[in-house]
Amino acid sequence: MDKKVEVLAPAGNLPSLRAAVDNGADAVYFGFRNATNARNFEGLNFSLSDAEAGIAYAHRHGVKANVVLNTFPQADDPGLWYRTVDQTAALGADAIIMANLALLDYCRTHHPHLPIHLSVQASASNAPAINFYQRHFAIQRVILPRVLTVAEIRSLKDRTDVDLEVFAFGGLCVMAEGRCYLSSFATGVSPNVEGVCSPARAVHFENSGERLKTRLGEILIAEYGPKEDAAYPTICKGRFEANGQVYHTMEEPGSLNILEMLPEVIESGVVSLKIEGRQRTKSYVATVTRVLRQAVDAYYESPGTFQAKGKWIRELNATSEGATHTLGTYEQGWQ
Ligand code: SF4
């Protein structure tokens, strides 16, 4: 059997990184406390000394540490992005996660020994695109957008030598990632510089009698009855009217959870299973990492008889958006 698939966990701060390592992650990923990563939230992310401590902790436990630099240089200070590439190389990170062509070129030229993982922000989801990045920038791995079926991933594997990383758990982004203007339309700002596509300052919750309305900017995203759990308003997961019906027209507000298809996903040839959620709590990181670790180990113990345990699903649902989960596009067809 091929090398065991990697469990890759998010870290929004040092305590989360330690929680990921302590709960069985094979690798962790984190970004710096500035605009160079797409989860640029107040109070989140790593200073230089945090990064040094985090990488040292991970390495002491035989865990890899990848640095995220997945936004695009802004015209007023592109130097920050280049300095971050240099910093990441100097820190001895195991990989740098990037999408911008100029940064890819800079990294390959100035730090040829630093492995590059092509960020999902590059939206590379077909073999010619992935092979282009490999040819020009020697990328070692691509993080696939959450828009492919397992059959498509399997066929991609046959047509590229680049390692494939896929999302296994967490929030879903249903568009060609890095190319979605839905939230920019609603909020007037780019997710690339705001850290997220539904920034808190654009989110509104309104009580209207017994009902609760959620809005992003001026746009009504959903209306909930008294017994319904309200999801954080993300425009692609809103309930809108289409053809006389009100429903989730683009995507349900549940979390992606591949446990029920874990054998198929592993056997498609991917090298890494990524947990989304650098903005989530330490407890989320600990729970999801532990459950995914147990599930992956159970699969390798007996690939032919693997079954997702009810206990795992319940534990993961308790951390999920809307307390529900979906297999996303790994299985689902579009409406
Ligand atoms: S609005 Fe939805 S599709 Fe667009 S970036 Fe956010 S999660 Fe992705």
Side-chain angles (χ1 to χ4, degrees):
M1 183 173 284
D2 292 339
K3 197 165 166 263
K4 210 167 178 177
V5 75
E6 168 187 274
V7 172
L8 173 60
N13 52 36
L14 259 181
S16 293
L17 183 147
R18 292 196 193 102
V21 171
D22 297 348
N23 281 278
D26 297 303
V28 293
Y29 65 100
F30 67 85
F32 287 107
R33 197 173 293 154
N34 56 39
T36 59
N37 83 79
R39 288 281 184 249
N40 182 22
F41 288 109
E42 197 74 37
L44 202 72
N45 299 314
F46 285 60
S47 64
L48 187 54
S49 60
D50 290 342
E52 278 167 355
I55 292 173
Y57 189 80
H59 287 175
R60 253 196 326 276
H61 293 81
V63 170
K64 290 188 170 167
N66 304 338
V67 168
V68 183
L69 200 162
N70 60 349
T71 55
F72 297 82
Q74 298 294 303
D76 57 351
D77 184 13
L80 172 66
W81 278 258
Y82 293 94
R83 289 194 297 278
T84 304
V85 176
D86 297 337
Q87 211 167 62
T88 302
L91 280 166
D94 293 282
I96 186 164
I97 302 168
M98 293 192 297
N100 179 258
L101 291 175
L103 295 176
L104 288 164
D105 183 51
Y106 179 82
C107 184
R108 185 44 55 235
T109 310
H110 292 82
H111 305 289
H113 301 300
L114 177 60
I116 298 175
H117 293 181
L118 188 66
S119 167
V120 71
Q121 291 268 82
S123 291
S125 54
N126 59 64
I130 295 166
N131 292 337
F132 169 87
Y133 284 101
Q134 184 190 36
R135 205 161 54 246
H136 292 279
F137 309 111
I139 62 164
Q140 195 179 85
R141 183 186 293 190
V142 57
I143 303 156
L144 293 177
R146 288 160 272 194
V147 294
L148 299 173
T149 62
V150 171
E152 285 168 331
I153 295 170
R154 208 179 297 121
S155 112
L156 201 51
K157 172 74 191 149
D158 294 336
R159 291 178 291 134
T160 182
D161 296 330
V162 176
D163 288 342
L164 307 179
E165 175 179 310
V166 293
F167 284 88
F169 188 83
L172 265 177
C173 177
V174 294
M175 299 295 166
E177 294 187 57
R179 306 283 187 274
C180 169
Y181 289 94
L182 278 175
S183 64
S184 307
F185 172 72
T187 64
V189 292
S190 160
N192 258 326
V193 290
E194 285 292 311
V196 68
C197 54
S198 292
R201 63 189 169 85
V203 166
H204 307 284
F205 292 87
E206 292 167 17
N207 286 312
S208 161
E210 294 227 299
R211 300 184 74 74
L212 176 71
K213 292 180 178 177
T214 60
R215 291 184 191 275
L216 186 63
E218 296 297 310
I219 296 176
L220 179 65
I221 301 294
E223 201 174 325
Y224 298 93
K227 295 206 170 116
E228 282 185 292
D229 288 330
Y232 189 78
T234 305
I235 195 162
C236 66
K237 292 155 195 162
R239 277 184 193 150
F240 303 110
E241 186 177 337
N243 297 327
Q245 274 183 292
V246 176
Y247 66 109
H248 295 109
T249 39
M250 290 173 254
E251 181 57 84
E252 305 273 336
S255 283
L256 172 70
N257 177 354
I258 62 152
L259 278 198
E260 284 158 17
M261 290 184 81
L262 189 66
E264 290 92 325
V265 174
I266 293 177
E267 287 157 23
S268 71
V270 302
V271 301
S272 180
L273 300 176
K274 180 177 209 151
I275 300 165
E276 184 274 346
R278 282 186 289 139
Q279 73 285 17
R280 304 292 302 269
T281 62
K282 174 183 147 192
S283 141
Y284 163 95
V285 172
T287 303
V288 181
T289 305
R290 177 173 41 78
V291 170
L292 195 56
R293 170 83 279 146
Q294 288 171 0
V296 166
D297 289 348
Y299 165 80
Y300 282 97
E301 265 166 36
S302 179
T305 60
F306 175 86
Q307 273 213 313
K309 291 184 184 167
K311 175 167 132 355
W312 295 337
I313 304 282
R314 283 193 296 280
E315 277 190 85
L316 292 183
N317 276 351
T319 70
S320 298
E321 203 180 340
T324 59
H325 66 272
T326 165
L327 286 163
T329 52
Y330 290 127
E331 187 185 56
Q332 184 179 325
W334 298 100
Q335 288 201 48

